[in-house]
Amino acid sequence: MERDGKIRVRFAPSPTGHLHVGGARTALFNWLFARHAGGTFILRIEDTDRSRSTEEYEASIHDAMRWLGLDWDEGPEVGGPHGPYRQTERTDLYRAAANRLLEEGKAYRCTCTSEELEARRKEAEARKVPFRYDGRCRNKGEVPGRPFALRLRIPDEGTVAVDDVLRGRVEFPNRDLDDWIVLRSDGTPTYNFCVVVDDVEMRISHVIRGDDHLSNTPKQVHLFHAFGHPLPFFAHVPMILGADRTRLSKRHASTAVVAYRDEGYLPEAMVNYFVRLSWSAGDQELFTLQELVSKFTLEAVGKSAAVFNPEK
Ligand code: GLU
Ligand code: ZN
């Protein structure tokens, strides 16, 4: 499959909390990038973790995005043209994609039980080596009557490369990855699997997200290859730190965007501040949203961590 040159990006929050400062910056960068290029900005709610996702948080994320002025395009057939997409409404798609990989031999049935895997994990721990699934079911095939998970076949040797717009080429040795599970034995798809199935199906051209996801990227790249789909461009945006230079959390300041709204801050000020956390254009400090749309480029996003200063 060829790239068609269309700019399509997504913001993919998990509704397990309010939209926080880091998420807002990621949403903004995606939105600005799409609007600058006349592309498409998709909102995709990653709600497959049913134990932690709530409708209240999803609604709160919508509110925060609307307040900031970040409108999204497109949506599922059902429920109107303006989305968002919800992963829990797309389970059939994930199962079908997993079965296709199985038929093509790119994924295989693993009949190891969770007790067996747990025992092996403990054993690795006792030997102080990282636990990795050893691939023992790779050539086993179906075992009648035994439930199975589907695992992706990953080469034992070699490396996988990620060309990141901000960091350049990053390589990961395959021996550090294992044949990860794409579909659990209860038929539910895993997090990394849903992300890639959606990025393929939604024809995402650029994956712009926080660099806390960089460790997922090599696993995901293998899956793009298994689907025979060209890689999107990746841009992993450096994380946001608190004043003491540890990862920003509630200890440092309110991190929920709606809390700033409720305190009476103006959305224009917040947008300006979030963008300026890790993007600049000369010495200019204040920008209107329209100015940001016309000036925003990924190349001008900074490569080092940003410090969040609530005083500003
Ligand atoms: N759902 C993930 C999050 O909330 C984002 C996944 C992605 O952007 O690939 O952090
Ligand atoms: Zn197995």
Side-chain angles (χ1 to χ4, degrees):
M1 198 188 292
E2 286 294 312
R3 291 181 178 285
D4 57 10
K6 292 207 177 84
I7 298 291
R8 293 173 59 82
V9 294
R10 80 306 195 276
F11 173 54
S14 305
T16 55
H18 295 290
L19 182 67
H20 55 81
V21 170
R25 184 193 53 168
T26 301
L28 250 169
F29 283 0
N30 277 286
W31 184 87
L32 289 172
F33 183 71
R35 294 293 174 262
H36 177 88
T40 302
F41 173 70
I42 288 171
L43 176 61
R44 183 169 86 210
I45 303 293
E46 304 208 319
D47 55 354
T48 53
D49 182 351
R50 297 314 292 155
S51 62
R52 294 173 55 228
S53 304
T54 71
E55 280 174 22
E56 288 72 27
Y57 283 136
E58 187 189 326
S60 167
I61 292 169
H62 295 181
D63 287 351
M65 288 183 64
R66 286 205 191 90
W67 180 66
L68 293 172
L70 309 182
D71 54 336
W72 53 90
D73 313 312
E74 219 172 90
E77 302 279 298
V78 187
H82 287 292
Y85 292 97
R86 280 187 202 89
Q87 287 189 325
T88 45
E89 293 167 359
R90 299 166 64 79
T91 314
D92 292 349
L93 194 83
Y94 306 133
R95 289 211 185 118
N99 285 320
R100 222 155 49 230
L101 292 179
L102 176 64
E103 274 159 30
E104 291 170 2
K106 289 169 180 156
Y108 61 90
R109 294 184 182 89
C110 167
T111 52
C112 300
T113 63
S114 42
E115 291 76 28
E116 286 166 345
L117 291 167
E118 193 45 42
R120 282 179 235 155
R121 190 188 312 275
K122 290 228 171 85
E123 193 197 322
E125 220 167 80
R127 286 190 292 128
K128 298 203 178 352
V129 294
F131 171 71
R132 258 174 231 114
Y133 179 70
D134 60 7
R136 68 180 67 193
C137 293
R138 273 180 189 170
N139 303 312
K140 202 152 89 182
E142 202 166 352
V143 181
R146 253 183 100 153
F148 55 85
L150 293 185
R151 289 185 184 268
L152 186 69
R153 244 177 248 280
I154 295 204
D156 294 318
E157 313 281 321
T159 58
V160 59
V162 179
D163 284 310
D164 189 278
V165 177
L166 301 176
R167 304 164 166 255
R169 170 164 284 230
V170 193
E171 286 198 25
F172 301 84
N174 287 333
R175 78 178 112 75
D176 291 346
L177 307 169
D178 60 3
D179 290 352
W180 54 281
I181 292 179
V182 297
L183 203 67
R184 298 183 192 93
S185 58
D186 65 2
T188 58
T190 56
Y191 165 76
N192 279 300
F193 188 66
C194 297
V195 169
V196 176
V197 172
D198 282 345
D199 285 344
V200 166
E201 204 267 342
M202 295 174 183
R203 304 188 315 285
I204 298 301
S205 64
H206 292 69
V207 171
I208 305 168
R209 62 185 169 201
D211 67 2
D212 49 328
H213 286 285
L214 189 60
S215 61
N216 288 325
T217 309
K219 296 169 86 171
Q220 296 182 0
V221 165
H222 277 292
L223 191 51
F224 278 102
H225 292 328
F227 285 132
H229 197 271
L231 293 179
F233 291 99
F234 289 98
H236 288 93
V237 181
M239 67 169 142
I240 303 179
L241 307 177
D244 59 358
R245 303 198 71 85
T246 62
R247 195 184 186 84
L248 183 68
S249 73
K250 290 184 189 131
R251 287 182 296 110
H252 296 105
S254 280
T255 54
V257 172
V258 283
Y260 290 93
R261 176 197 63 192
D262 297 345
E263 284 175 39
Y265 286 85
L266 292 176
E268 297 79 15
M270 293 309 286
V271 163
N272 210 84
Y273 184 69
F274 290 145
V275 172
R276 298 280 292 109
L277 275 172
S278 23
W279 178 86
S280 57
D283 298 331
Q284 190 171 345
E285 293 259 354
L286 298 174
F287 301 85
T288 64
L289 206 51
Q290 266 326 301
E291 272 180 304
L292 289 171
V293 166
S294 71
K295 293 189 174 173
F296 186 81
T297 60
L298 275 180
E299 287 71 25
V301 171
K303 290 167 185 52
S304 47
V307 176
F308 183 70
N309 174 5
E311 303 294 304
K312 277 209 174 177

